[in-house]
Amino acid sequence: QVQVVESGGGLVQPGGSLRVSCAASGRSVSINFSSWYRQAPGNERELVATIASGGDTTYGDSVKGRFTISRDNAKNTVYLQMDNLKPEDTALYYCLLKIRRAGSIMSRDYWGQGTQVTVSS
């Protein structure tokens, strides 16, 4: 019954900024690990950023220094702040949440529906 909803995509100019959100709904949700992926037509899916439950983050080389992943535990929401956007950042962005429900030991994967980010002048 967990639902993951993405929002915040859109059209921005090169050099602009955008923040996409990934919100998990449902009771007794615990997000253990979060990731952002992106995929452009004809390209393979690319891991963009991750954030662990303790706050440790990783970034793909192509976005390092420009993107920031963060989490608001109270809102069960993960964010990806994208600065200095480039045309090659254009892609469909997906979040992946590893969520543990109350009463469960193991986490399960939940994908967002994807949000389109287009960088063009």
Side-chain angles (χ1 to χ4, degrees):
Q1 294 181 345
V2 174
Q3 293 184 339
V4 178
V5 179
E6 298 183 30
S7 62
L11 174 65
V12 296
Q13 294 181 327
S17 297
L18 201 65
R19 188 180 74 166
V20 292
S21 302
C22 178
S25 63
R27 296 182 178 180
S28 301
V29 170
S30 178
I31 302 175
N32 292 334
F33 194 85
S34 306
S35 305
W36 283 98
Y37 292 84
R38 67 184 183 186
Q39 187 168 22
N43 293 352
E44 296 182 351
R45 186 176 61 189
E46 177 187 13
L47 179 62
V48 176
T50 69
I51 183 168
S53 60
D56 292 336
T57 60
T58 68
Y59 298 93
D61 290 339
S62 62
V63 306
K64 193 172 300 181
R66 299 187 298 118
F67 289 11
T68 304
I69 187 172
S70 62
R71 182 182 65 247
D72 186 331
N73 291 327
K75 297 180 179 179
N76 286 327
T77 301
V78 179
Y79 304 94
L80 183 68
Q81 177 68 41
M82 300 175 286
D83 298 321
N84 192 23
L85 283 162
K86 303 175 181 180
E88 52 263 41
D89 295 319
T90 297
L92 189 64
Y93 284 72
Y94 297 92
C95 63
L96 172 61
L97 306 181
K98 296 185 180 296
I99 296 175
R100 180 185 62 81
R101 300 295 302 276
S104 178
I105 299 176
M106 302 299 296
S107 297
R108 297 187 183 275
D109 292 345
Y110 295 87
W111 287 92
Q113 81 280 7
T115 184
Q116 179 67 39
V117 173
T118 302
V119 184
S120 179
S121 59

